[in-house]
Amino acid sequence: MSNQDLYFTAQQIEINQAPLQSKIFVEGPPGCGKTTAAVQRSLTMIASGIPAESILVLVPQRTLGLHYTNAYRQVEFMPGAEPDVVTLGGLGQRMVQLFWPLVAERAGFQQPLRPPTFLTLETAQYYLARIVFPLIEKGYFQSAVINKNRLLSQILDNLNKAAVVGFDYQQTSARLKSAYPNDPAKHTLFDQAQECAQQFRKYCLAHHLLDFSLQYEVFHRFLWGEPAVRGYLNQRYRHLIFDNVEEDVPITHDIVAQWLPELDSALLLYDQQGGYRLFLGADTLTSHSLARMCAQQIECAQSLVTSPATESLQSDLAACVLRESQSPDPQSETAVEFSYHHFFPQMIDQVAEQIASLVKDQAVPPGQIAVLSPFLSDSLRFSLVNRLQEHNIASRSHRPSRSLREEPAARCLLTWAQIAHPAWQMKPDPEEFRSALIQTLDGLDWLRAHLLGQIVYSPNRADGELGSFYQIKPPIQDRITHLQGQRYEALRAWLQAYRAGEPVALDVFLSRFFGEVLSQPGYAFHNNMEAASVAYRLVESVQKFRRGVPEAQDFPLNTGFDYLNMVNQGVFAAQYLQPYQPASDDAVLIMPAYTFLMTNHPVRVQFWLNIGSRNWWERIDQPLTHPYILSREWPSNQPWTDADDWNTNQKALERLVRGLIRRCSEKVIMTSVEIDESGQEQKGPLMQAAQSLVRRLNSLKGAEHD
Ligand SMILES: Nc1ncnc2c1ncn2[C@@H]1O[C@H](COP(=O)(O)OP(=O)(O)OP(=O)(O)O)[C@@H](O)[C@H]1O
């Protein structure tokens, strides 16, 4: 629906028609039309002669800016003369780049004349790993039962929290310890994490490297107060639209509070009951205090998404979560459905069938259906996508970060890279080799791959060469089939030729191998768009790694070894940010629940999978960090208790339930299983709340009959 087709609400008209120089704070529930009104207002401003490039649209994360970028794409702006849609981190990075000479020395960089290198998550993990792994060998982090990747990301998380909440990162351990006064084991972990963070920061300052926390800190502490920088920003931007203020972090709010009086106009949009990015430092209190800085306040009360029935369901289920005695509204019943199953696969089959019936019998567009769960495991995603495919229904799954290592296509490419570079002395085990064969030769089954692999590959072979298909005994050749044998031989010849020549950087190797072998007819990547896109992202990830590691410029070949080493140790390509594509009407969305909340895409029907799982309620265990204790609200020296855990989990579930239902216009279908994927019995708090709602609705009916 384009904006021309909408009848704007009174509040939307008020926002759109407010005088051009106004500073307005709009608040309301999600789905009351705030973003739509803001997009419209910016277009009205541009139509009235305000230069588009003087409008800054600030969002807490890129997905939340999609409505703006999509709308601006429809308008023909001159190149460079369009509104800027950015996060404060993005803006900060640009400023650091631009004003580097002004700030490098003052910020403590030891080689201020060298240009800054901005680290990605992976390159930051790489440098941090070089500090942390030797310490692990010495016995650090022994009591933390988490994998290396999570260890690294929690140390980086502490640095990020300090930067965005606004405290000295060297105080992190003291803050955490004061919340657990009687837990020496935790104290040791916090101190060790702190020591790693300190060494990492020292290394970054010595080598002009900036991870996210340092970018943010340099911008906030050293550039924001500089008259030259402020002058530049004030000349460039005169109008601010700040959407989803409640999902942003305190330092962004501080900066905006100081900036507001200097701007010509501002429109700030606040979602009530939001703050889902708490893990990343989002702070609803500091965000709401911005209301005082705006002369005009507008409240939108009416959701344009929910029906009266889903609105009631939202309030009734939230009451059950919080165990408040509230008599439900009978119409809630029409907006919810429950389905119970013994086992996980039955639940998946049933969900797929229900979706097929919604699409085929009730003409619900697939894009108006979302399947949500707290986490999206590979097996869950895989089974659901497959079941839907059997019904000819397209789906789109999105996880904000995925491990490339988990992608079979990426593992396959990296296995061949190891075989192509014997000097690295990284020999895949026979199982990895067999999987690579299955992933590579189109139509090769497990048994044939096993036969072929057993004969042609041995990790013990000193020269690392692969055996030839033609030396295999004819009856076995027949079993493997000559067609697959020829394909294997062409692959082997390619690798042999590569090994005979000068090796190239890993990303170059991967692109060539993909282009010249894997994507050719007869190989499994041919016409396989998903595998191709994984290959592309892997190449990009290696490339970014090579470019982000300055010493790699001199030794590009070592980078390949380092990269693979990190992958093998479980560090990365542990995570990459999947580009988020805006939702389309022809594919069912399959997403983690919190990711869905950040896509700004309401739907008609939601499926909540396995509501008995405690993951709907419980925070993931983070032994080295803590989102609440490291927030501004948490008083120093106040102990964190089990009751705090319980209360925050309750509050988070209530917020999640409300947030999801407020993005649903017709029905929520809640599914549960007795025994989950890992064989556990399921009866978590969301399930208990749902059961309590059923009881309350039933007793209401009982009362009616009486
Ligand atoms: N005047 C209107 N009439 C009908 N539908 C509308 C109107 N304004 C917006 N919508 C639709 O309502 C939905 C929510 O709108 P919008 O995203 O602008 O709300 P919001 O308050 O910004 O929500 P969120 O906080 O989730 O971003 C969208 O699907 C949008 O197309």
mmCIF file of all heavy atoms in Angstrom, residues 529-551:
data_model
loop_
_atom_site.group_PDB
_atom_site.id
_atom_site.type_symbol
_atom_site.label_atom_id
_atom_site.label_comp_id
_atom_site.label_asym_id
_atom_site.label_seq_id
_atom_site.Cartn_x
_atom_site.Cartn_y
_atom_site.Cartn_z
ATOM 1 N N MET A 529 21.229 -21.240 -5.876
ATOM 2 C CA MET A 529 21.402 -19.842 -5.481
ATOM 3 C C MET A 529 21.805 -19.709 -4.016
ATOM 4 O O MET A 529 22.594 -18.841 -3.657
ATOM 5 C CB MET A 529 20.107 -19.046 -5.716
ATOM 6 C CG MET A 529 19.722 -18.903 -7.161
ATOM 7 S SD MET A 529 21.125 -18.590 -8.226
ATOM 8 C CE MET A 529 21.333 -16.859 -7.958
ATOM 9 N N GLU A 530 21.264 -20.597 -3.174
ATOM 10 C CA GLU A 530 21.578 -20.458 -1.750
ATOM 11 C C GLU A 530 23.058 -20.753 -1.491
ATOM 12 O O GLU A 530 23.740 -20.014 -0.782
ATOM 13 C CB GLU A 530 20.687 -21.379 -0.918
ATOM 14 C CG GLU A 530 20.763 -20.983 0.537
ATOM 15 C CD GLU A 530 19.638 -21.555 1.377
ATOM 16 O OE1 GLU A 530 18.598 -21.915 0.809
ATOM 17 O OE2 GLU A 530 19.841 -21.639 2.597
ATOM 18 N N ALA A 531 23.553 -21.849 -2.127
ATOM 19 C CA ALA A 531 24.968 -22.189 -1.942
ATOM 20 C C ALA A 531 25.845 -21.074 -2.518
ATOM 21 O O ALA A 531 26.871 -20.706 -1.940
ATOM 22 C CB ALA A 531 25.276 -23.521 -2.619
ATOM 23 N N ALA A 532 25.414 -20.516 -3.652
ATOM 24 C CA ALA A 532 26.200 -19.443 -4.269
ATOM 25 C C ALA A 532 26.259 -18.238 -3.334
ATOM 26 O O ALA A 532 27.306 -17.591 -3.204
ATOM 27 C CB ALA A 532 25.580 -19.046 -5.604
ATOM 28 N N SER A 533 25.142 -17.972 -2.673
ATOM 29 C CA SER A 533 25.158 -16.789 -1.816
ATOM 30 C C SER A 533 26.025 -17.033 -0.571
ATOM 31 O O SER A 533 26.705 -16.133 -0.101
ATOM 32 C CB SER A 533 23.732 -16.340 -1.506
ATOM 33 O OG SER A 533 23.436 -16.477 -0.180
ATOM 34 N N VAL A 534 26.054 -18.273 -0.077
ATOM 35 C CA VAL A 534 26.957 -18.582 1.037
ATOM 36 C C VAL A 534 28.409 -18.425 0.571
ATOM 37 O O VAL A 534 29.251 -17.841 1.268
ATOM 38 C CB VAL A 534 26.708 -20.015 1.570
ATOM 39 C CG1 VAL A 534 27.799 -20.436 2.537
ATOM 40 C CG2 VAL A 534 25.353 -20.095 2.249
ATOM 41 N N ALA A 535 28.693 -18.931 -0.635
ATOM 42 C CA ALA A 535 30.065 -18.822 -1.160
ATOM 43 C C ALA A 535 30.456 -17.354 -1.273
ATOM 44 O O ALA A 535 31.556 -16.950 -0.889
ATOM 45 C CB ALA A 535 30.144 -19.502 -2.528
ATOM 46 N N TYR A 536 29.532 -16.556 -1.750
ATOM 47 C CA TYR A 536 29.807 -15.132 -1.920
ATOM 48 C C TYR A 536 30.115 -14.489 -0.564
ATOM 49 O O TYR A 536 31.061 -13.720 -0.415
ATOM 50 C CB TYR A 536 28.593 -14.467 -2.587
ATOM 51 C CG TYR A 536 28.662 -12.972 -2.592
ATOM 52 C CD1 TYR A 536 29.470 -12.322 -3.509
ATOM 53 C CD2 TYR A 536 27.942 -12.221 -1.660
ATOM 54 C CE1 TYR A 536 29.565 -10.931 -3.495
ATOM 55 C CE2 TYR A 536 28.029 -10.852 -1.641
ATOM 56 C CZ TYR A 536 28.839 -10.207 -2.568
ATOM 57 O OH TYR A 536 28.938 -8.845 -2.543
ATOM 58 N N ARG A 537 29.317 -14.860 0.438
ATOM 59 C CA ARG A 537 29.531 -14.242 1.756
ATOM 60 C C ARG A 537 30.834 -14.719 2.398
ATOM 61 O O ARG A 537 31.497 -13.970 3.109
ATOM 62 C CB ARG A 537 28.344 -14.533 2.674
ATOM 63 C CG ARG A 537 27.163 -13.635 2.325
ATOM 64 C CD ARG A 537 26.207 -13.549 3.471
ATOM 65 N NE ARG A 537 25.642 -14.846 3.787
ATOM 66 C CZ ARG A 537 24.470 -15.277 3.347
ATOM 67 N NH1 ARG A 537 23.745 -14.513 2.574
ATOM 68 N NH2 ARG A 537 24.016 -16.460 3.689
ATOM 69 N N LEU A 538 31.181 -15.957 2.088
ATOM 70 C CA LEU A 538 32.449 -16.456 2.628
ATOM 71 C C LEU A 538 33.609 -15.667 2.011
ATOM 72 O O LEU A 538 34.527 -15.225 2.702
ATOM 73 C CB LEU A 538 32.585 -17.953 2.329
ATOM 74 C CG LEU A 538 33.838 -18.611 2.876
ATOM 75 C CD1 LEU A 538 33.838 -18.609 4.405
ATOM 76 C CD2 LEU A 538 33.961 -20.056 2.388
ATOM 77 N N VAL A 539 33.552 -15.495 0.693
ATOM 78 C CA VAL A 539 34.617 -14.740 0.013
ATOM 79 C C VAL A 539 34.687 -13.328 0.603
ATOM 80 O O VAL A 539 35.759 -12.809 0.920
ATOM 81 C CB VAL A 539 34.342 -14.677 -1.515
ATOM 82 C CG1 VAL A 539 35.294 -13.714 -2.193
ATOM 83 C CG2 VAL A 539 34.460 -16.065 -2.115
ATOM 84 N N GLU A 540 33.523 -12.745 0.793
ATOM 85 C CA GLU A 540 33.474 -11.386 1.324
ATOM 86 C C GLU A 540 34.063 -11.332 2.741
ATOM 87 O O GLU A 540 34.819 -10.420 3.084
ATOM 88 C CB GLU A 540 32.009 -10.962 1.380
ATOM 89 C CG GLU A 540 31.820 -9.476 1.445
ATOM 90 C CD GLU A 540 30.357 -9.128 1.638
ATOM 91 O OE1 GLU A 540 29.582 -9.987 2.114
ATOM 92 O OE2 GLU A 540 30.002 -7.986 1.320
ATOM 93 N N SER A 541 33.728 -12.354 3.530
ATOM 94 C CA SER A 541 34.218 -12.387 4.900
ATOM 95 C C SER A 541 35.744 -12.507 4.931
ATOM 96 O O SER A 541 36.427 -11.814 5.689
ATOM 97 C CB SER A 541 33.542 -13.551 5.628
ATOM 98 O OG SER A 541 34.277 -13.965 6.728
ATOM 99 N N VAL A 542 36.303 -13.378 4.065
ATOM 100 C CA VAL A 542 37.765 -13.524 4.033
ATOM 101 C C VAL A 542 38.404 -12.210 3.551
ATOM 102 O O VAL A 542 39.411 -11.754 4.089
ATOM 103 C CB VAL A 542 38.188 -14.672 3.090
ATOM 104 C CG1 VAL A 542 39.703 -14.846 3.110
ATOM 105 C CG2 VAL A 542 37.519 -15.967 3.481
ATOM 106 N N GLN A 543 37.751 -11.623 2.553
ATOM 107 C CA GLN A 543 38.279 -10.374 1.989
ATOM 108 C C GLN A 543 38.319 -9.270 3.047
ATOM 109 O O GLN A 543 39.313 -8.580 3.211
ATOM 110 C CB GLN A 543 37.335 -9.926 0.894
ATOM 111 C CG GLN A 543 38.013 -9.398 -0.330
ATOM 112 C CD GLN A 543 37.015 -9.429 -1.469
ATOM 113 O OE1 GLN A 543 35.867 -9.010 -1.300
ATOM 114 N NE2 GLN A 543 37.448 -9.922 -2.604
ATOM 115 N N LYS A 544 37.227 -9.158 3.782
ATOM 116 C CA LYS A 544 37.163 -8.127 4.830
ATOM 117 C C LYS A 544 38.220 -8.397 5.877
ATOM 118 O O LYS A 544 38.845 -7.489 6.396
ATOM 119 C CB LYS A 544 35.786 -8.146 5.507
ATOM 120 C CG LYS A 544 34.764 -7.374 4.748
ATOM 121 C CD LYS A 544 33.575 -7.137 5.649
ATOM 122 C CE LYS A 544 32.443 -6.493 4.892
ATOM 123 N NZ LYS A 544 31.151 -6.777 5.451
ATOM 124 N N PHE A 545 38.381 -9.663 6.169
ATOM 125 C CA PHE A 545 39.375 -10.040 7.165
ATOM 126 C C PHE A 545 40.761 -9.623 6.672
ATOM 127 O O PHE A 545 41.547 -9.005 7.373
ATOM 128 C CB PHE A 545 39.303 -11.549 7.381
ATOM 129 C CG PHE A 545 40.339 -12.068 8.328
ATOM 130 C CD1 PHE A 545 40.273 -11.741 9.668
ATOM 131 C CD2 PHE A 545 41.377 -12.863 7.882
ATOM 132 C CE1 PHE A 545 41.227 -12.213 10.556
ATOM 133 C CE2 PHE A 545 42.331 -13.335 8.759
ATOM 134 C CZ PHE A 545 42.265 -13.012 10.093
ATOM 135 N N ARG A 546 41.047 -9.939 5.389
ATOM 136 C CA ARG A 546 42.372 -9.620 4.829
ATOM 137 C C ARG A 546 42.593 -8.108 4.846
ATOM 138 O O ARG A 546 43.661 -7.628 5.192
ATOM 139 C CB ARG A 546 42.449 -10.156 3.403
ATOM 140 C CG ARG A 546 43.772 -9.917 2.732
ATOM 141 C CD ARG A 546 44.023 -10.951 1.649
ATOM 142 N NE ARG A 546 43.106 -10.860 0.534
ATOM 143 C CZ ARG A 546 43.320 -10.095 -0.532
ATOM 144 N NH1 ARG A 546 44.387 -9.356 -0.608
ATOM 145 N NH2 ARG A 546 42.446 -10.083 -1.524
ATOM 146 N N ARG A 547 41.547 -7.371 4.493
ATOM 147 C CA ARG A 547 41.720 -5.918 4.424
ATOM 148 C C ARG A 547 41.752 -5.281 5.804
ATOM 149 O O ARG A 547 42.323 -4.226 5.986
ATOM 150 C CB ARG A 547 40.608 -5.296 3.600
ATOM 151 C CG ARG A 547 40.726 -5.788 2.173
ATOM 152 C CD ARG A 547 39.888 -5.005 1.221
ATOM 153 N NE ARG A 547 40.093 -5.536 -0.114
ATOM 154 C CZ ARG A 547 39.132 -5.765 -0.984
ATOM 155 N NH1 ARG A 547 37.891 -5.482 -0.667
ATOM 156 N NH2 ARG A 547 39.412 -6.246 -2.169
ATOM 157 N N GLY A 548 41.087 -5.955 6.762
ATOM 158 C CA GLY A 548 41.005 -5.363 8.100
ATOM 159 C C GLY A 548 42.214 -5.678 8.955
ATOM 160 O O GLY A 548 42.348 -5.166 10.049
ATOM 161 N N VAL A 549 43.068 -6.536 8.461
ATOM 162 C CA VAL A 549 44.256 -6.882 9.242
ATOM 163 C C VAL A 549 45.448 -6.252 8.544
ATOM 164 O O VAL A 549 45.921 -6.786 7.539
ATOM 165 C CB VAL A 549 44.412 -8.426 9.321
ATOM 166 C CG1 VAL A 549 45.644 -8.826 10.081
ATOM 167 C CG2 VAL A 549 43.184 -9.023 9.986
ATOM 168 N N PRO A 550 45.916 -5.099 9.020
ATOM 169 C CA PRO A 550 46.914 -4.358 8.253
ATOM 170 C C PRO A 550 48.151 -5.173 7.901
ATOM 171 O O PRO A 550 48.643 -5.111 6.774
ATOM 172 C CB PRO A 550 47.283 -3.192 9.173
ATOM 173 C CG PRO A 550 46.134 -3.045 10.094
ATOM 174 C CD PRO A 550 45.536 -4.391 10.234
ATOM 175 N N GLU A 551 48.622 -6.026 8.830
ATOM 176 C CA GLU A 551 49.856 -6.741 8.492
ATOM 177 C C GLU A 551 49.642 -7.738 7.359
ATOM 178 O O GLU A 551 50.585 -8.182 6.723
ATOM 179 C CB GLU A 551 50.460 -7.434 9.726
ATOM 180 C CG GLU A 551 49.653 -8.571 10.263
ATOM 181 C CD GLU A 551 49.271 -8.355 11.736
ATOM 182 O OE1 GLU A 551 48.798 -7.267 12.086
ATOM 183 O OE2 GLU A 551 49.471 -9.266 12.513
#
